[in-house]
Amino acid sequence: MADERIHRFAYDAIIMVVIIALLCVGIYYMRMPRVAILDVKRLAGETGAAEKMRKDEEKYMTAAAGRMGRLDEQLKTAMAAMESQLAKAADDSAKAKIRQDMFQLRARAQETAEQEKKEYQKYRESAYKSFRAAVDPVVMTIARSKHLDLVLDSQEGRLVMYARRKVDITDAAIKDSREALSKLDVGRVEQPGAAAAPPSPGPGKVR
């Protein structure tokens, strides 16, 4: 009888251990996700990345303004030549042809300006991707070391309504990102994809 009670007790103990283990596993997988916040704007500012990106963008805009200035001068020169040819045209057919060429020249100049805007947008996207390429590995390493499930940008879209100070990984990210961001390359100043300005017509030539 005593042996039976001992076996019964041992069996019940094993069952209890299994139940507790299953409960622990269930609680682990049902836990709330661990979330931290990162102030990306502050990170960019304190590592010097924001200032570098600003200076590089100023260089790009200066180069773009130069390209658009040259386009405007070439357009004015070409239009002046066409106006002169229009005044000397022998008949209505010739005048209509010159006016058509003037319209097409303006259209090409407008297309060039629109292309310049697209190139600027590509430049900004490239700069942001370069920044993320430097920062993301650092954030991932910190998140894994802290067993985080999610990291939110405290500035982007103001998604974070409240967060305790201890879940902010900005300081750690700033410390670990300095070296990577010191080598930040946001792209070329001159963009080879920019469309060429319309050429000035030669003497007696309108196309």
Side-chain angles (χ1 to χ4, degrees):
M1 181 68 69
D3 289 342
E4 184 179 347
R5 285 199 297 270
I6 291 173
H7 287 305
R8 178 76 181 185
F9 177 78
Y11 177 79
D12 290 344
I14 292 173
I15 294 298
M16 184 61 67
V17 170
V18 172
I19 292 174
I20 292 173
L22 290 174
L23 286 173
C24 289
V25 171
I27 291 172
Y28 174 81
Y29 283 104
M30 292 174 61
R31 68 179 175 81
M32 294 294 290
R34 298 190 64 181
V35 181
I37 61 171
L38 172 65
D39 189 336
V40 176
K41 183 177 181 181
R42 183 179 147 220
L43 184 152
E46 294 192 17
T47 57
E51 180 65 13
K52 177 175 176 54
M53 293 171 73
R54 184 188 67 78
K55 289 181 178 179
D56 287 345
E57 185 170 351
E58 284 183 354
K59 291 179 182 178
Y60 179 93
M61 294 301 292
T62 299
R67 290 193 294 270
M68 293 307 296
R70 290 190 294 272
L71 169 66
D72 186 59
E73 288 301 318
Q74 291 184 9
L75 178 62
K76 288 179 179 178
T77 300
M79 293 299 291
M82 288 183 175
E83 290 285 356
S84 177
Q85 292 176 4
L86 183 63
K88 299 175 183 178
D91 52 42
D92 291 341
S93 177
K95 290 181 179 180
K97 181 64 172 62
I98 294 172
R99 290 192 181 99
Q100 180 182 5
D101 288 340
M102 293 172 71
F103 174 82
Q104 291 176 350
L105 185 63
R106 291 192 188 97
R108 289 199 299 272
Q110 182 62 34
E111 289 174 1
T112 302
E114 291 298 324
Q115 182 63 30
E116 192 67 53
K117 291 179 182 179
K118 292 178 181 179
E119 292 294 337
Y120 172 61
Q121 185 60 35
K122 288 180 182 179
Y123 171 83
R124 295 200 65 181
E125 291 173 359
S126 175
Y128 180 70
K129 287 179 180 178
S130 298
F131 173 76
R132 287 293 302 268
V135 171
D136 284 1
V138 174
V139 174
M140 186 178 297
T141 299
I142 295 172
R144 287 175 175 171
S145 69
K146 295 180 179 294
H147 306 290
L148 300 173
D149 298 303
L150 188 66
V151 177
L152 299 177
D153 183 356
S154 62
Q155 297 293 324
E156 187 68 26
R158 299 186 179 182
L159 296 173
V160 181
M161 300 296 292
Y162 168 78
R164 291 178 296 165
R165 181 69 181 86
K166 68 178 182 179
V167 301
D168 189 338
I169 65 170
T170 304
D171 288 337
I174 290 172
K175 178 182 176 182
D176 295 347
S177 295
R178 289 188 186 280
E179 181 178 357
L181 290 175
S182 67
K183 304 172 184 177
L184 182 64
D185 180 10
V186 299
R188 299 180 295 273
V189 172
E190 291 286 351
Q191 295 293 319
S200 302
K205 186 176 180 180
V206 297
R207 301 190 80 178

